[in-house]
Amino acid sequence: MPPKVFVTRALPGTALAQLAAATSLRCWPGPLPITAAQLRTELRDAEGLLCLLTDCIDEPLLAAAPALRVVSSCSVGVDHVEVAALTRRRIPLGHTPGVLVEATADLTFALLLAAARRITEAERFVRENQWTPSRRWEPELLLGKDLHGATLGLIGLGAIGQAVARRAQGFGLRVIGWTPSGRSVPGVTAASFEKVLAQSDFISLHLALSAQTTRLINAAALAQMRGDAILINTARGGLVDEAALLAALRTKQLGAAALDVFEQEPLAADHPLLALPNVVIAPHIGSATLGTRSRMAQLAVDNLLAGLQGRPMPHCANPEVYS
Ligand code: GLV
């Protein structure tokens, strides 16, 4: 009997067809994400689960899934999973690092440039018919920030941070960086956390969300940043104290922010960040290219099949289950 597998959302590419050929697969058909209650019902007899970062995989869910022996998330981040609860049950957890590095670094740079050159404000200016003959070309219209010669501060120097550093070098930025492990990487001048905050024109976050990194960028950290600095976050919203960020942006203690991730997603329609002109906003699309999402789906399927067949996963977030 092929193992029963549940997939919480259709994925781009051909990976799910491959999974369907090797398992008894059910894929959530709804146009909306599956709810926690629906997921509990679907997992009653499933041996494998392929999930997304929008699915909360916690102790109560696992208690309702007695046959579950493999979980594979189509994401690099696993902060939506109670990893210790899986490890206690010796369930391997797959994730998808590596394949989304370049796409996420591209989006980081797109947001950095958009905030530096005020692209979203400029587009609104034109679409809202403010580009009138009397304002044809103004010496002080929509003045932004130069990249060349400026300092980019990276908080987190993993694969994505390093890919952002490579792009920054091409733009003539000086790159400094801090990582909790203290390690240094080529092309990035290592600096203390405080120095990165105080010296950077652009500060970009590239850390996983954990108990140690939650709200690392709080009111005290924001107060150390330059008044014209731009904060970019394509990692996780929970790294930033959003209320403190709002206050810093409102009082011009911080120049601007460019954000792909938020404490609560989706962002509420009346969220105060949406009212600020000095904020560029995207809906968590760091890895959203067809090629990258297809590679993520393939890696998620490879992880799931390896787990179901008793082989080590290509990328396992809790490798201690194998020892
Ligand atoms: C995206 O945020 C991911 O973790 O893959």
Side-chain angles (χ1 to χ4, degrees), residues 83-170:
V83 183
L86 285 185
T87 306
R88 274 197 299 278
R89 291 173 163 79
R90 303 197 70 74
I91 296 176
L93 168 64
H95 69 143
T96 62
V99 291
L100 46 60
V101 165
E102 302 298 338
T104 307
D106 284 347
L107 186 84
T108 304
F109 230 81
L111 290 179
L112 186 155
L113 280 165
R117 298 305 302 272
R118 303 174 62 183
I119 302 292
T120 52
E121 275 180 89
E123 177 161 10
R124 278 196 296 273
F125 178 83
V126 177
R127 287 187 190 274
E128 289 167 4
N129 293 326
Q130 296 179 62
W131 197 26
T132 54
S134 64
R135 307 197 68 184
R136 185 177 151 216
W137 190 91
E138 290 181 9
E140 294 195 89
L141 178 65
L142 288 162
L143 297 184
K145 260 169 97 76
D146 286 314
L147 267 68
H148 191 267
T151 298
L152 168 65
L154 298 171
I155 308 263
L157 296 172
I160 298 173
Q162 292 180 47
V164 172
R166 287 195 294 277
R167 284 155 180 74
Q169 279 139 17

Side-chain angles (χ1 to χ4, degrees), residues 143-214:
L143 297 184
K145 260 169 97 76
D146 286 314
L147 267 68
H148 191 267
T151 298
L152 168 65
L154 298 171
I155 308 263
L157 296 172
I160 298 173
Q162 292 180 47
V164 172
R166 287 195 294 277
R167 284 155 180 74
Q169 279 139 17
F171 279 82
L173 284 148
R174 164 180 172 252
V175 188
I176 62 174
W178 171 84
T179 186
S181 71
R183 80 188 165 117
S184 56
V185 303
V188 179
T189 304
S192 66
F193 181 61
E194 291 71 24
K195 217 169 182 177
V196 171
L197 298 179
Q199 291 192 355
S200 302
D201 298 284
F202 304 95
I203 297 172
S204 190
L205 308 182
H206 300 287
L207 291 171
L209 184 64
S210 68
Q212 292 72 42
T213 61
T214 295

Side-chain angles (χ1 to χ4, degrees), residues 53 74-77 96 100 235-236 284 287 296:
L53 58 81
C74 189
S75 64
V76 61
T96 62
L100 46 60
R236 281 293 183 270
H284 202 149
S287 62
M296 289 169 72

Side-chain angles (χ1 to χ4, degrees), residues 6-9 34-40 42-43 48-65 68-75 77-89 91-94 318:
F6 183 68
V7 178
T8 62
R9 204 80 184 258
I34 192 166
T35 65
Q38 287 162 335
L39 185 54
R40 265 201 301 279
E42 292 289 350
L43 286 189
L49 168 66
L50 198 162
C51 64
L52 305 180
L53 58 81
T54 43
D55 305 312
C56 174
I57 313 300
D58 57 8
E59 184 63 58
L61 179 76
L62 297 177
L68 195 65
R69 49 191 183 90
V70 185
V71 176
S72 174
S73 183
C74 189
S75 64
V78 291
D79 46 289
H80 56 297
V81 181
E82 218 177 300
V83 183
L86 285 185
T87 306
R88 274 197 299 278
R89 291 173 163 79
I91 296 176
L93 168 64
N318 58 345

